[in-house]
């Protein structure tokens, strides 16, 4: 197991590459080596490599080959007229702590590989040819992409095709641009988990949407924040699909825009759509097709969702389907259902036990507090953090205030904010600059968010940003984490 070091500024390809003081200078030198299981290739922080990096050799499941970084400073950067990192048939690979930008093709492209992990990788301005996604995997198995950031790319954020075993965890995609671009495009794949991601297409120049999940089998999409785009989640064909506990908003611009859509491109069977907060858009959940088809749409369950600020109905069913719409909540003014007479007369899609409330925000706040108590009681967790939302409809220039801890709980009755973003919260608090404003927090959980109107886009709709935070109960033994999401409704600010 050998560690090879590469330093574009101070290295030389005449060196051995096996110590920091004898680092190689180029990635092409690494490509000339026969990497073995357990080997690592570490790129010096601050380095810039203007070349495609081809990974040709496989690690083993117990000893993967790792591509990472060393030293201090900014992450090493790979630029290329082709792909950033490219691989075919190499398996058991870990890629971490790098930046890839300004490439002609994808930042990462891999085909016919197994057991890849990509973590803490930043990808920006890739796909200048608008082909594939910023991260592309094809005909592969067991791929995990986590804690990575994709911004301002040409083409899809993620393009996943014919992959069995794919996890997208806690990633951020902002503005996947192009006429055919989605934040996530996933085709003909199985055993899928998309969880904890923040995907924002608000400012993308794409007529498409956030997640396109086509002909999937065994998929779970949960706990994501999805913003903007022509649609939130398009799952037009598939089997055994769970879409739950997502925050989906800002999908409008078209009369057909929907939060969740299915039934348009093939048979759709066993969908469970539950616990989602769907707001600021056109349609809610749609079971439809652009033309008459003979696809089957069976066992579609839509329940325990919240629908707010929609211009169309919470549920639309205008193609033959079986399922149910129950225990959902609509704010006043949102139409519950739009079901074609033929479907209604067939009695195959039942509607029952739904409610309309005057104020969704009040209902959600009460529900969150109750859930926190129930979670603590059932799981016996010492500390429970619950997601926080700040909605800004108007702005006077003053700070928008709240407290992150008021809906959290601890077994010993003590709570403290210890981390916010990626930094520790000191005794004098912490101030961070976000995408659209500045936020100050203190250890008691109080926050003050001040908008910077110079950063706001000049259009209607809304934008959002999220901050992660960590709390404990005054000890180092019990802790939990969650996020604060700030929603800025531009319609009120720009009017």
């Amino acid at each position: 197991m050998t560690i090879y070091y590469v330093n574009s500024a101070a290295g030389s390809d005449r060196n051995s590459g096996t110590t920091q003081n004898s680092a190689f200078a180029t990635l092409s030198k690494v490509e000339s080596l026969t990497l073995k299981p357990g080997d690592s290739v570490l790129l010096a922080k601050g380095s810039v490599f203007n070349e495609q990096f081809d990974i040709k050799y496989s690690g083993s499941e117990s000893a993967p080959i790792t591509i990472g970084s060393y030293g201090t400073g900014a992450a090493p950067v790979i630029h290329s007229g082709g792909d950033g990192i490219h691989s075919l048939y190499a398996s058991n690979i870990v890629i971490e702590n790098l930046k890839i930008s300004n490439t002609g093709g994808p930042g990462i492209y891999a085909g016919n590989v197994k057991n890849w992990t990509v973590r803490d990788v930043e990808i920006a301005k890739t796909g200048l040819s608008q082909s594939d996604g910023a991260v592309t995997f094809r005909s592969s198995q067991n791929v995990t992409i986590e804690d990575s950031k994709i911004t301002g790319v040409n083409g899809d954020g993620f393009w996943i095709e014919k992959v069995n075993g794919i996890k997208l965890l806690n990633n951020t995609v902002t503005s996947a641009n192009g006429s055919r671009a989605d934040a996530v495009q996933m085709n003909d794949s199985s055993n899928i988990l998309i969880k904890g991601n923040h995907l924002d297409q608000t400012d993308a120049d794409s007529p498409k949407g956030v997640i396109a999940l086509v002909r999937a089998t065994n998929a779970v999409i949960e706990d994501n924040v999805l913003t903007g785009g022509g649609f939130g989640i398009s799952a037009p064909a598939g089997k055994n699909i769970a879409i739950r506990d997502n925050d989906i908003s800002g999908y409008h611009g078209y009369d057909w825009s929907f939060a969740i859509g299915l039934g348009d491109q093939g048979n759709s069977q066993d969908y469970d759509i539950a616990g989602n907060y769907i707001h600021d858009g056109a349609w809610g959940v749609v079971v439809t097709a652009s033309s008459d088809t003979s696809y089957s749409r069976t066992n579609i369950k839509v329940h325990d969702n919240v629908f707010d600020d929609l211009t169309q109905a919470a549920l639309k069913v205008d193609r033959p389907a079986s399922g149910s719409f129950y225990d959902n909540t609509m704010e006043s003014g949102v139409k519950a259902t739009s079901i074609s007479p033929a479907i209604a007369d067939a009695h195959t899609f039942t509607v029952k036990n739904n409610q309309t409330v005057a104020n969704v925000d009040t209902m959600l706040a009460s529900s969150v507090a109750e859930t926190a108590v129930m979670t603590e009681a059932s799981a016996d967790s010492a500390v429970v953090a619950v997601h926080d939302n700040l909605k800004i409809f108007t702005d006077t220039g003053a700070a928008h205030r709240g407290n992150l801890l008021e809906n959290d709980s601890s077994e010993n009755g003590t709570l403290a904010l210890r981390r916010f973003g990626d930094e520790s919260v000191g005794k004098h608090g912490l101030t961070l600059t976000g995408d659209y404003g500045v936020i100050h927090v203190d250890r008691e959980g109080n926050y003050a968010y001040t908008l910077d109107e110079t950063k706001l886009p000049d259009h209607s709709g809304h934008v959002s940003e999220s901050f992660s935070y960590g709390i404990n109960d005054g000890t180092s033994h019990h802790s939990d984490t969650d996020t604060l999401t700030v929603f800025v409704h531009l319609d009120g600010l720009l009017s």
Side-chain angles (χ1 to χ4, degrees):
M1 296 183 181
T2 305
I3 300 176
Y4 295 100
Y5 298 90
V6 192
N7 188 319
S8 65
S12 170
D13 286 351
R14 293 188 296 271
N15 289 337
S16 67
T18 55
T19 69
Q20 294 183 25
N21 292 329
S22 63
F24 296 137
T26 68
L27 301 177
S28 58
K29 177 61 179 179
V30 177
E31 292 173 11
S32 70
L33 304 175
T34 302
L35 297 178
K36 298 178 181 178
D39 286 352
S40 295
V41 177
L42 303 183
L43 313 183
K45 291 187 175 180
S47 287
V48 177
F49 301 93
N50 295 302
E51 52 184 321
Q52 177 175 299
F53 187 17
D54 290 326
I55 300 175
K56 304 175 182 178
Y57 300 98
S58 297
S60 66
E61 289 191 40
S62 60
I65 292 172
T66 298
I67 313 299
S69 63
Y70 72 97
T72 59
V77 180
I78 297 175
H79 301 308
S80 169
D83 301 341
I85 294 176
H86 182 95
S87 186
L88 296 173
Y89 303 104
S91 294
N92 303 302
I93 302 293
V94 175
I95 299 174
E96 59 188 5
N97 304 318
L98 306 175
K99 181 175 180 179
I100 304 170
S101 68
N102 297 95
T103 62
I108 298 174
Y109 180 98
N112 297 102
V113 302
K114 295 180 181 179
N115 304 327
W116 273 54
T117 297
V118 177
R119 67 168 71 98
D120 292 310
V121 173
E122 182 179 351
I123 298 178
K125 299 179 181 178
T126 59
L128 300 180
S129 61
Q130 295 195 18
S131 61
D132 301 314
V135 175
T136 297
F137 282 87
R138 285 191 162 102
S139 303
S140 298
Q141 297 181 36
N142 300 330
V143 175
T144 298
I145 307 165
E146 58 189 358
D147 300 314
S148 293
K149 184 177 181 180
I150 296 174
T151 57
V153 296
N154 295 288
D156 300 283
F158 295 100
W159 178 279
I160 309 296
E161 183 176 19
K162 297 181 180 178
V163 174
N164 179 17
I166 174 72
K167 296 179 181 179
L168 303 182
L169 308 175
N170 304 315
N171 302 289
T172 299
V173 178
T174 305
S175 296
N177 299 296
S179 61
R180 298 177 296 169
D182 303 298
V184 177
Q185 174 80 42
M186 197 171 291
N187 297 341
D188 302 299
S189 296
S190 57
N191 299 312
I192 298 161
L193 176 61
I194 302 175
K195 182 175 182 178
N197 303 281
H198 186 190
L199 310 175
D200 190 346
Q201 287 289 81
T202 302
D203 296 324
D205 61 359
S206 169
K208 295 189 69 185
V210 183
I211 297 178
L213 189 71
V214 183
R215 295 178 298 275
T217 302
N218 301 330
V220 175
I221 305 176
E222 65 180 359
D223 296 324
N224 303 284
V225 176
L226 312 180
T227 309
F231 57 80
I233 302 172
S234 175
K239 182 178 180 180
N240 194 24
I241 310 296
I243 302 173
R244 60 198 183 207
D245 301 325
N246 302 284
D247 189 310
I248 308 173
S249 66
Y251 58 94
H252 36 55
Y254 307 100
D255 58 5
W256 53 261
S257 290
F258 53 80
I260 301 170
L262 58 105
D264 189 33
Q265 296 183 24
N267 296 337
S268 303
Q269 178 181 341
D270 300 332
Y271 280 57
D272 187 66
I273 301 171
N276 301 285
Y277 179 31
I278 295 172
H279 55 111
D280 186 22
W283 297 94
V285 178
V286 301
V287 184
T288 187
S290 58
S291 60
D292 291 331
T293 63
S294 58
Y295 302 139
S296 66
R297 307 168 186 91
T298 58
N299 194 28
I300 312 300
K301 297 178 180 178
V302 184
H303 61 97
D304 297 289
N305 302 282
V306 175
F307 301 91
D308 179 18
D309 191 19
L310 303 184
T311 60
Q312 304 292 338
L315 173 72
K316 176 182 181 180
V317 183
D318 65 1
R319 294 294 185 272
S322 68
S324 52
F325 182 77
Y326 62 95
D327 293 339
N328 298 284
T329 299
M330 280 70 61
E331 185 164 271
S332 297
V334 174
K335 183 180 179 181
T337 64
S338 174
I339 300 177
S340 70
I343 307 298
D345 291 344
H347 302 292
T348 59
F349 214 103
T350 61
V351 177
K352 62 180 181 180
N353 299 333
N354 301 290
Q355 65 171 333
T356 298
V357 299
N359 191 305
V360 159
D361 288 340
T362 301
M363 183 272 298
L364 287 176
S366 174
S367 176
V368 164
E370 182 179 338
T371 300
V373 173
M374 292 176 61
T375 301
E376 182 178 8
S378 61
D380 194 27
S381 298
V383 175
V384 176
V386 179
H387 185 86
D388 294 86
N389 291 314
L390 168 63
K391 294 183 178 181
I392 300 175
F393 294 92
T394 59
D395 185 55
T396 62
H400 300 264
R401 301 180 183 275
N403 187 283
L404 298 168
L405 306 182
E406 64 183 5
N407 59 350
D408 302 336
S409 60
S410 71
E411 197 170 69
N412 66 4
T414 299
L415 282 173
L417 182 66
R418 292 305 185 190
R419 296 193 65 82
F420 192 80
D422 295 324
E423 300 186 34
S424 298
V425 180
K427 63 179 180 180
H428 300 298
L430 172 68
T431 300
L432 291 180
T433 300
D435 293 334
Y436 305 108
V438 175
I439 188 166
H440 179 81
V441 298
D442 61 29
R443 286 184 174 177
E444 288 70 44
N446 299 302
Y447 67 81
Y449 181 92
T450 304
L451 273 176
D452 183 349
E453 293 197 5
T454 64
K455 294 184 175 182
L456 296 177
D458 186 17
H459 60 69
S460 62
H462 85 274
V463 295
S464 66
E465 61 178 316
S466 292
F467 303 90
S468 61
Y469 70 87
I471 63 174
N472 68 21
D473 61 353
T475 74
S476 60
H477 303 293
H478 305 294
S479 62
D480 198 8
T481 61
D482 218 294
T483 56
L484 164 69
T485 300
V486 180
F487 296 95
V488 183
H489 289 253
L490 300 174
D491 295 337
L493 298 180
L494 300 175
S495 60

